[in-house]
């Protein structure tokens, strides 16, 4: 099964930021990532391939499994370690098991960005109904980033937090599209949007299709 798998997204994120780490800690299934950790995030097709892929990574390293999901179309995982070298070993084991390299992943595409300034109270309350992270306070600005494949939105979230003082509201990294929601001052949101867009656009890979 692993030989037939195709990489949609695969990224190694070092220096996991505190708020994004806390968000992951509240939403993941397994080993909780901490600020400063390195994480490996992948999205594959067919979805069931994720089980053998994670198995190969864990057997080749001391990385710990954080998430392992098979959704409607794709398989998704997150592995974590305080050691960058262990995550590199896990990544290399996955690529070796598939007989490929990082350039076989799909190059992410930016689907859209939005900035909503001075969020109205009623919309803030609607957003807070499904938020798994920070609550949206009326009057703050809201940034929204959408990309494909979905898993790359995690990279965008970490880079957004590195660049500006923002609060992570929601990170949806599973499915057809990835969506990131964060709040802060208008200037902070603008800076974070720019950083997340740059992270998506600078990631190399093959064309989708």
């Amino acid at each position: 099964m692993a030989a037939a798998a195709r990489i949609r997204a695969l990224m190694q994120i070092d220096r996991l930021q505190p708020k994004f780490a806390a968000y992951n800690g509240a939403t993941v299934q397994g080993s909780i990532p901490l600020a400063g950790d390195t994480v490996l995030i992948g999205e594959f097709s067919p979805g069931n391939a994720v089980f053998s892929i994670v198995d190969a990574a864990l057997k080749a390293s001391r990385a710990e499994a954080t998430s392992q999901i098979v959704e409607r179309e794709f398989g998704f995982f997150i592995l974590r370690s305080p050691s960058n070298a262990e995550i590199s070993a896990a990544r290399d084991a996955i690529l070796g098991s598939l007989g490929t390299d990082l350039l076989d992943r799909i190059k992410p595409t930016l689907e859209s960005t939005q900035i909503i300034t001075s969020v109205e109270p009623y919309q803030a309350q609607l957003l807070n109904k499904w938020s798994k992270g920070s609550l949206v306070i009326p009057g703050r600005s809201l940034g929204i980033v959408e990309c494909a494949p979905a898993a790359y939105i995690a990279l965008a979230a970490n880079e957004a937090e590195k660049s500006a003082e923002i609060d992570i509201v929601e990170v949806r990294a599973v499915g057809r599209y990835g969506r990131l929601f964060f709040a802060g001052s208008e200037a902070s949101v603008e800076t974070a949007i720019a950083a997340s867009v740059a992270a998506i656009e600078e990631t190399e890979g093959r064309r989708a299709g």
Side-chain angles (χ1 to χ4, degrees), residues 1 22 62 108 175 182:
M1 180 179 293
R62 293 184 179 179
F182 53 85

Side-chain angles (χ1 to χ4, degrees), residues 16 65 85:
L16 199 64

Side-chain angles (χ1 to χ4, degrees), residues 3-190:
R6 197 74 190 271
I7 303 172
R8 289 181 51 78
L10 186 64
M11 75 213 82
Q12 184 167 334
I13 303 174
D14 63 357
R15 291 195 300 123
L16 199 64
Q17 296 299 292
K19 293 175 184 177
F20 188 40
Y23 178 90
N24 277 277
T27 57
V28 299
Q29 306 157 308
S31 181
I32 295 175
L34 303 176
D37 277 358
T38 298
V39 295
L40 184 69
I41 300 176
E43 180 183 305
F44 294 80
S45 62
N48 278 342
V50 72
F51 301 115
S52 56
I53 287 168
V54 169
D55 178 67
L58 295 179
K59 285 177 176 174
S61 71
R62 293 184 179 179
E64 296 179 355
T66 290
S67 286
Q68 179 177 262
I69 300 169
V70 178
E71 50 92 30
R72 181 177 297 178
E73 295 180 87
F74 312 120
F76 172 86
F77 73 82
I78 306 174
L79 305 179
R80 65 156 292 274
S81 175
S83 167
N84 192 283
E86 293 298 331
I87 292 299
S88 294
R91 178 203 63 207
D92 292 346
I94 290 171
L95 294 173
S97 71
L98 298 177
T100 189
D101 57 35
L102 273 179
L103 291 180
D104 190 45
R105 66 187 176 184
I106 295 174
K107 180 174 176 60
T109 57
L110 180 69
E111 299 294 323
S112 68
T113 64
Q114 295 181 57
I115 298 177
I116 299 174
T117 59
S118 189
V119 176
E120 290 294 319
Y122 286 112
Q123 186 168 47
Q125 293 296 72
L126 288 174
L127 293 167
N128 291 337
K129 289 288 186 181
W130 47 252
S131 169
K132 295 184 181 68
S134 295
L135 299 179
V136 179
I137 300 171
R140 301 188 84 197
S141 291
L142 179 72
I144 306 170
V145 180
E146 181 181 56
C147 74
Y152 287 114
I153 206 67
L155 176 63
N158 203 60
E159 291 303 311
E161 187 181 340
K162 279 183 183 178
S163 71
E165 183 61 36
I166 57 168
D167 291 324
I168 303 291
V169 175
E170 183 86 356
V171 184
R172 299 178 181 176
V174 177
R176 176 62 64 174
Y177 299 103
R179 295 183 177 91
L180 165 65
F181 301 79
F182 53 85
S185 68
E186 185 175 352
S188 293
V189 167
E190 288 176 348

